[in-house]
Amino acid sequence: MEKIVILTGAGISAESGLGTFRDEGGLWAQHRIEDVATPEGFVRDPALVHRFYNARRVQAAKAQPNAAHEALARLQRDWPGEVVIVTQNVDSLHEAGGAQDVIHMHGTLAGALCAACDHRWTAPPEMSVGEPCPACAAATARPDVVWFGEMPYQMDAIYNHLAGARLFAAIGTSGQVYPAAAFVHEAAMSGARTVELNLDPSTGASSFDDVVLGPATETVPRWVDQMLISQ
Ligand code: BJW
């Protein structure tokens, strides 16, 4: 049966109370990307970076999945073929909404990573500078998230899924960050139909076959209903 690949971004979690990056008043209006989302920024001022991610970890832990997360989990459950969810989000709201095997291409707030030996473990609610790695004892613990200039996770698996997709949907992402912004082209080259669901048209909206505008909690459940009726 037909495989669906879904890419999600910060917009799907906006109505759960988590800020997006590039919308008015978003995270990048309050923090410099170079300071909090690059490996160089972490080397310069690890305390600042830990404060940024500690605050977001606390906020994400309080957030609840919304109707859009739950609808995608329903699609995964009821669609007769495979539904692969690839998220750029570092929150766990897809899983909390019932989704399975979510690919977190930009990592997760729940994880800690040793910058020296790449060992991974569960992050404490508050990470601090100098925290030793449980494997090599280096004082280089960092959040397990993907910053600019770093390779996103599970890229081979994602490209394999895109090559086999019959439908690709991008939900709540501005299409400004690569490689995720190019997934629509990868999927289209493999013959997939493509659809964007977003509040406003993204940078790459003209690359999609269909564009559905509106808040994710309204558009996504409606789109899932239509998909399940039309199967
Ligand atoms: C709603 C809504 C509602 C609001 N309902 N919708 C060309 C090719 C390849 C790479 C590059 C390139 N040019 C430059 C690069 C490098 C760079 C890059 O992309 N730079 C750009 C700025 C140009 N990329 C990288 O460095 C990446 N690594 C890399 O490329 O490695 C080499 C490589 C090459 C080729 C193949 C493979 C690899 C790494 C990028 C890492 C990004 N990291 C961040 C931080 C993660 C940790 C954290 O969370 O803090 O990831 S940055 C930030 O942006 C975060 C997000 O995941 C990411 C995307 O943001 P997103 O989700 O789209 O959010 P917004 O805010 O931008 O948009 C929200 C959308 O929602 C809007 O459209 C709203 O309208 C909508 N919305 N409310 C529905 N209720």
Side-chain angles (χ1 to χ4, degrees):
M1 192 54 190
E2 297 189 342
K3 181 190 269 201
I4 302 174
V5 176
I6 297 170
L7 171 71
T8 66
I12 197 167
S13 296
E15 291 163 86
S16 292
L18 301 182
T20 63
F21 295 92
R22 296 170 184 82
D23 293 316
E24 205 181 319
L27 287 166
W28 295 159
Q30 303 163 49
H31 305 271
R32 278 164 35 103
I33 292 179
E34 303 82 341
D35 291 340
V36 298
T38 63
E40 295 78 15
F42 184 64
V43 169
R44 250 190 335 265
D45 192 346
L48 173 74
V49 176
H50 279 310
R51 274 201 304 279
F52 176 68
Y53 284 98
N54 285 343
R56 288 179 57 204
R57 196 176 292 109
V58 167
Q59 200 190 13
K62 290 188 205 145
Q64 297 297 319
N66 64 46
H69 299 104
E70 286 163 359
L72 293 187
R74 182 159 57 88
L75 183 65
Q76 243 187 357
R77 219 175 28 244
D78 295 346
W79 182 251
E82 191 179 4
V83 176
V84 178
I85 299 175
V86 179
T87 188
Q88 298 168 87
N89 298 344
V90 294
D91 64 56
S92 304
L93 293 179
H94 281 299
E95 289 86 345
Q100 308 279 329
D101 301 326
V102 179
I103 297 179
H104 281 270
M105 64 178 290
H106 290 165
T108 66
L109 287 168
L113 167 69
C114 175
C117 76
D118 284 347
H119 178 68
R120 289 185 164 79
W121 67 101
T122 303
E126 289 239 330
M127 294 188 72
S128 51
V129 181
E131 207 168 294
C133 165
C136 75
T140 48
R142 54 166 278 186
D144 189 10
V145 299
V146 177
W147 289 322
F148 285 103
E150 297 183 320
M151 183 62 83
Y153 297 150
Q154 300 192 60
M155 290 309 300
D156 288 348
I158 294 170
Y159 285 130
N160 277 334
H161 286 306
L162 290 170
R166 294 303 306 276
L167 176 67
F168 171 75
I171 302 175
T173 176
S174 62
Q176 294 193 40
V177 176
Y178 289 85
F183 289 174
V184 58
H185 304 296
E186 294 286 332
M189 272 191 313
S190 304
R193 189 159 184 89
T194 58
V195 56
E196 165 167 290
L197 294 95
N198 212 14
L199 195 56
D200 305 307
S202 72
T203 311
S206 61
S207 304
F208 289 83
D209 296 315
D210 303 305
V211 176
V212 181
L213 298 181
T217 56
E218 294 174 18
T219 56
V220 177
R222 204 162 54 225
W223 175 71
V224 167
D225 287 344
Q226 284 162 2
M227 290 295 300
L228 291 175
I229 287 166
S230 70
Q231 59 170 288

